[in-house]
Amino acid sequence: MNIVITGSTQGIGLGLAREFLGRGHDVMISSRRAEAVAATVSSLQKDFPGRSVNGQACDVAEYVQVQKLWEQALSSLGSVDIWVNNAGRDGAKMPFFAIPPEDMIQTINTNLVGIMMCNRVVIPGMYQQKHGKIFNMEGFGSNGMVRPTASVYGTTKCAVRYFTKAVSQELNGTPVKLGYLSPGMVLTDMLVPPPEARGKNWAQSRKFLNILADTVETVTPFLVEGMLRSEGNGDAIRWLTRRKIAWRFLASRFRKRDILSPLGL
Ligand SMILES: NC(=O)c1ccc[n+]([C@@H]2O[C@H](COP(=O)([O-])OP(=O)(O)OC[C@H]3O[C@@H](n4cnc5c(N)ncnc54)[C@H](OP(=O)(O)O)[C@@H]3O)[C@@H](O)[C@H]2O)c1
């Protein structure tokens, strides 16, 4: 199959790309920075000889750039079977009234406008090729949960669920399928702050992460398997379910889980 993943030069997006390639699929890499795209493409080509790995820089909030990414994907891959709207940012973690307006706009543009632009471009394209699946990446807030200092990020991810629900209903009976992806808590640059930014609550956060978080290598095989198997419209592929959360907390009373130390965190 031919896969396009936005925001795939690091973190979950890169993990998804590696997992698809390892299973024999071809991939188009993307993020805003052309140098990062080129470096990622060349390292994946080295690790997966025989597979087709292409790349194109694209800011998902820019309609013209998304259109170019779609066209480049068609010309490199021939068709697009799965398009993953993974690109995202968390922005400043602080009370809403203190968030710099520019930071707020960037988060909304990437997480919400970007998802909309990509769906706007890809749905007609897949309709024309008569097949294709799109997955929109959820995050904290998608289920309506609220946390202080995550107002903007949570609002965008809550809206992503609404948007995906609304558009997937519009796609019923068409050859284009739209679904949800939810990775849980994954140890990437987005989730783990750099040492200088960890602050006084880091010990408490570390405890929490050791119970609920997972590595990219643990979560991406599950997400990829789910996307490949998904046949329905509105399918949801969610790693950290309520049941899994309850089980992790229960188990933590009896068995200490430590996934951060081996990563030097
Ligand atoms: N990590 C978690 O625990 C977690 C939990 C739930 C949901 N998620 C979601 O999963 C997705 C990936 O997260 P991650 O943890 O892997 O983040 P990450 O490590 O920060 O990677 C984000 C990727 O998105 C790209 N990106 C950022 N803004 C972009 C834009 N406007 N246009 C195109 N690409 C852009 C970045 O590259 P450039 O900066 O070079 O463009 C990078 O490749 C996000 O949607 C996030 O909200 C993550």
Side-chain angles (χ1 to χ4, degrees), residues 151-210:
S151 57
V152 177
Y153 179 85
T155 298
T156 62
K157 292 296 184 177
C158 189
V160 165
R161 183 172 291 187
Y162 181 97
F163 172 75
T164 306
K165 191 173 178 184
V167 177
S168 65
Q169 286 183 12
E170 294 171 358
L171 291 174
N172 276 334
T174 77
V176 184
K177 315 280 179 228
L178 174 62
Y180 314 76
L181 271 192
S182 173
M185 298 178 76
V186 190
L187 298 173
T188 64
D189 289 357
M190 184 182 285
L191 190 68
V192 182
E196 67 279 9
R198 286 183 192 159
K200 57 181 176 12
N201 294 329
W202 172 242
Q204 191 54 33
S205 308
R206 206 176 171 282
K207 253 190 218 165
F208 189 67
L209 291 176
N210 264 328

Side-chain angles (χ1 to χ4, degrees), residues 7-13 31-33 58-60 86-88 110 137-140 153 157 183-186 188-191:
S8 44
T9 50
Q10 63 179 60
I12 298 169
S31 84
R32 286 168 301 178
R33 289 169 299 129
C58 169
D59 184 335
V60 291
N86 166 79
T110 300
M137 186 62 93
E138 298 189 334
F140 181 83
Y153 179 85
K157 292 296 184 177
M185 298 178 76
V186 190
T188 64
D189 289 357
M190 184 182 285
L191 190 68

Side-chain angles (χ1 to χ4, degrees), residues 4-234:
V4 179
I5 308 167
T6 66
S8 44
T9 50
Q10 63 179 60
I12 298 169
L14 177 57
L16 293 173
R18 300 190 74 86
E19 190 61 32
F20 277 120
L21 288 164
R23 291 169 186 240
H25 303 288
D26 293 333
V27 163
M28 180 101 186
I29 295 299
S30 184
S31 84
R32 286 168 301 178
R33 289 169 299 129
E35 330 79 68
V37 172
T40 306
V41 168
S42 92
S43 116
L44 290 174
Q45 280 170 340
K46 218 178 285 158
D47 291 350
F48 299 94
R51 294 264 50 89
S52 165
V53 186
N54 292 280
Q56 167 82 40
C58 169
D59 184 335
V60 291
E62 298 293 334
Y63 181 81
V64 173
Q65 293 187 33
V66 178
Q67 187 70 47
K68 219 167 130 201
L69 178 61
W70 170 260
E71 282 159 14
Q72 189 57 43
L74 279 193
S75 90
S76 314
L77 301 166
S79 66
V80 179
D81 301 298
I82 299 180
W83 178 292
V84 188
N85 285 318
N86 166 79
R89 81 189 294 273
D90 56 355
K93 294 186 183 74
M94 50 179 70
F96 177 73
F97 58 81
I99 297 177
E102 184 47 39
D103 186 84
M104 188 193 316
I105 288 165
Q106 267 194 45
T107 305
I108 295 166
N109 279 350
T110 300
N111 297 359
L112 187 54
V113 177
I115 288 249
M116 289 183 172
M117 291 301 181
C118 288
N119 280 271
R120 178 65 185 82
V121 166
V122 177
I123 290 170
M126 286 186 167
Y127 201 89
Q128 209 166 0
Q129 65 175 22
K130 297 190 174 58
H131 79 281
K133 304 187 241 186
I134 305 167
F135 291 91
N136 291 341
M137 186 62 93
E138 298 189 334
F140 181 83
S142 286
N143 63 359
M145 212 166 159
V146 173
R147 186 178 65 216
T149 75
S151 57
V152 177
Y153 179 85
T155 298
T156 62
K157 292 296 184 177
C158 189
V160 165
R161 183 172 291 187
Y162 181 97
F163 172 75
T164 306
K165 191 173 178 184
V167 177
S168 65
Q169 286 183 12
E170 294 171 358
L171 291 174
N172 276 334
T174 77
V176 184
K177 315 280 179 228
L178 174 62
Y180 314 76
L181 271 192
S182 173
M185 298 178 76
V186 190
L187 298 173
T188 64
D189 289 357
M190 184 182 285
L191 190 68
V192 182
E196 67 279 9
R198 286 183 192 159
K200 57 181 176 12
N201 294 329
W202 172 242
Q204 191 54 33
S205 308
R206 206 176 171 282
K207 253 190 218 165
F208 189 67
L209 291 176
N210 264 328
I211 296 172
L212 289 185
D214 290 287
T215 61
V216 167
E217 292 73 20
T218 301
V219 172
T220 50
F222 171 87
L223 297 177
V224 164
E225 182 70 29
M227 286 190 270
L228 291 171
R229 278 173 183 265
S230 160
E231 286 181 352
N233 188 34

